[in-house]
Amino acid sequence: MDITLSQAAEIIKSSDNIIITAHINPDGDAIGSLLALAIYIKDCGKNVTCILDDDIPEKFNFMPNISLIQKPSNIIKSDLLIVLDSSDIERIGKVAQMVQAPILNIDHHISNIKFADYLYLDADAAATGEIIFELLESQKCKFNKDIATCLYTAIATDCGFFRYANTSASTMRIAAKLIEAGVSPNMISEKIEKKSLENMRALIKALESLEFFLDNKVGVLSITEDILNICDNTEGFIDFPRVIDGVEIAILFKCVQDNLCRVSMRSKSVDVSSIAKIFNGGGHKRAAGCSILLPINEAKKLLIDTIAKQMKNGATDV
Ligand code: 5GP
Ligand code: MN
Ligand code: MN
């Protein structure tokens, strides 16, 4: 059921034991939104448990209360499960089976499949963190430095530090308020954008794989096992084909098993969330992802052929 933000606030208020989760392969928005909401709910005197079915990338260790996040271990009953930044129940991994509670989903993905008992969706929000800011502000929350740091990280990471098309005047206003609450933007960007030596070496190898398709409108990086053996964190690699003049869609294929590829897409003019949906994935018009159950070369051919057809039909124009 679609609900308003004030209804979401009421549902939270009327629950005493709350579990919060977010999507696997967590990014700054998933972790930042989760922690900010957890700190607020805890400060309201309620029981809050943070569960995430994945490892937390080391670069997020600076975030306040990061140690609150646990992996799911046994089945728990609760008053409410809040699912953040996730458009699909499969995105929360095992948490879906481990927690027995009504689900409140707060999200900003246009591809949201409306799986929850209660859904607050704002596809115009640059990040789920923006929605959490509005939710907390509507409840007269005092934004302390910890909450502000989590929300700033959530918002800044999802809008490419205020560069992507989802950056709005409201995004900037919220960021300004968070800075007034004590956030240090340079500290956060240093922590998030920091790269290890291995990561750089993997990037050099990944760039050697750069290929172009469909009149150079599609730029592709292929992350094979040898690259993942150097470093398995490939975040940000897709920005290299993305910024090439003439490239409309950047794609990163990551070979996670012999017959399984993770795919990330970024676009300037094409709705890649609709392409990801064809492969049971999702995301936003300009940033989406999916998994394809094929070896990397076959997955590449299938996806490029699908994009060619979609572009020819004009089905994916934004
Ligand atoms: P990324 O390429 O950074 O992994 O993901 C880009 C966007 O697409 C993010 O908003 C992410 O949540 C979404 N996304 C990535 N992979 C999937 C997927 O397999 N399923 C769904 N529903 N969304 C995805
Ligand atoms: Mn996310
Ligand atoms: Mn997000």
Side-chain angles (χ1 to χ4, degrees):
M1 179 172 73
D2 287 311
I3 57 166
T4 63
L5 200 55
S6 60
Q7 285 173 320
E10 285 310 314
I11 291 169
I12 294 172
K13 265 192 208 158
S14 63
S15 311
D16 291 324
N17 294 296
I18 299 177
I19 297 175
I20 315 181
T21 193
H23 63 81
I24 50 175
N25 193 9
D27 52 21
D29 191 23
I31 297 171
S33 299
L34 186 155
L35 290 175
L37 187 58
I39 299 169
Y40 170 73
I41 293 177
K42 217 161 127 221
D43 289 350
C44 293
K46 294 173 186 291
N47 269 328
V48 63
T49 310
C50 303
I51 308 183
L52 212 149
D53 185 20
D54 212 339
D55 296 326
I56 308 288
E58 186 249 307
K59 67 178 173 193
F60 294 120
N61 282 350
F62 77 95
M63 290 177 73
N65 291 323
I66 189 84
S67 59
L68 285 182
I69 304 179
Q70 320 157 15
K71 285 213 176 148
S73 54
N74 46 338
I75 293 181
I76 356 176
K77 277 198 174 140
S78 187
D79 297 337
L80 185 66
L81 170 64
I82 306 179
V83 176
L84 298 174
D85 200 37
S86 307
S87 55
D88 188 325
I89 190 87
E90 286 182 8
R91 298 280 289 154
I92 63 171
K94 283 203 287 288
V95 177
Q97 290 89 51
M98 304 292 250
V99 178
Q100 296 172 347
I103 298 180
L104 166 62
N105 179 205
I106 300 178
D107 187 30
H108 70 130
H109 292 94
I110 196 160
S111 61
N112 192 293
I113 63 159
K114 300 185 183 242
F115 64 88
D117 300 293
Y118 308 102
L119 167 66
Y120 180 76
L121 175 69
D122 179 1
D124 292 328
T128 299
E130 233 180 79
I131 305 174
I132 301 299
F133 176 90
E134 279 157 9
L135 175 73
L136 269 46
E137 195 178 48
S138 75
Q139 299 307 300
K140 313 270 178 292
C141 161
K142 275 198 74 70
F143 289 92
N144 60 37
K145 190 176 173 183
D146 283 357
I147 293 181
T149 297
C150 296
L151 288 180
Y152 186 94
T153 305
I155 295 167
T157 50
D158 253 26
C159 67
F161 285 84
F162 311 98
R163 285 172 301 139
Y164 300 159
N166 57 356
T167 309
S168 68
S170 159
T171 313
M172 292 295 207
R173 267 184 226 113
I174 293 172
K177 287 181 191 168
L178 296 172
I179 292 170
E180 281 164 358
V183 162
S184 165
N186 62 311
M187 181 279 279
I188 294 176
S189 91
E190 271 165 35
K191 298 279 186 197
I192 298 287
E193 294 176 319
K194 179 182 74 179
K195 288 207 177 299
S196 67
L197 215 61
E198 294 74 43
N199 199 232
M200 269 296 158
R201 293 203 170 106
L203 174 62
I204 292 166
K205 275 268 202 203
L207 289 175
E208 286 173 8
S209 77
L210 184 60
E211 293 172 282
F212 297 95
F213 299 90
L214 308 180
D215 293 331
N216 298 341
K217 288 198 179 76
V218 178
V220 173
L221 287 181
S222 301
I223 312 297
T224 45
E225 206 185 337
D226 55 325
I227 299 175
L228 292 173
N229 285 339
I230 304 172
C231 178
D232 62 5
N233 173 16
T234 57
E235 218 183 286
F237 286 15
I238 197 167
D239 283 331
F240 288 84
R242 184 180 69 84
V243 296
I244 297 170
D245 191 19
V247 168
E248 297 294 334
I249 305 180
I251 310 178
L252 181 138
F253 287 90
K254 193 167 173 173
C255 163
V256 285
Q257 282 165 27
D258 283 349
N259 282 318
L260 174 63
C261 291
R262 278 287 312 152
V263 179
S264 284
M265 291 183 272
R266 301 290 182 270
S267 104
K268 291 179 191 144
S269 59
V270 167
D271 176 5
V272 284
S273 82
S274 66
I275 296 168
K277 268 199 152 181
I278 297 173
F279 297 93
N280 294 319
H284 310 282
K285 284 184 175 172
R286 291 189 158 82
C290 59
S291 298
I292 301 183
L293 279 163
L294 284 174
I296 196 159
N297 283 327
E298 289 171 44
K300 210 187 293 179
K301 184 169 180 333
L302 178 65
L303 184 60
I304 304 287
D305 286 350
T306 307
I307 291 173
K309 277 191 209 129
Q310 297 284 317
M311 283 173 104
K312 208 168 145 200
N313 297 338
T316 49
D317 294 346
V318 173

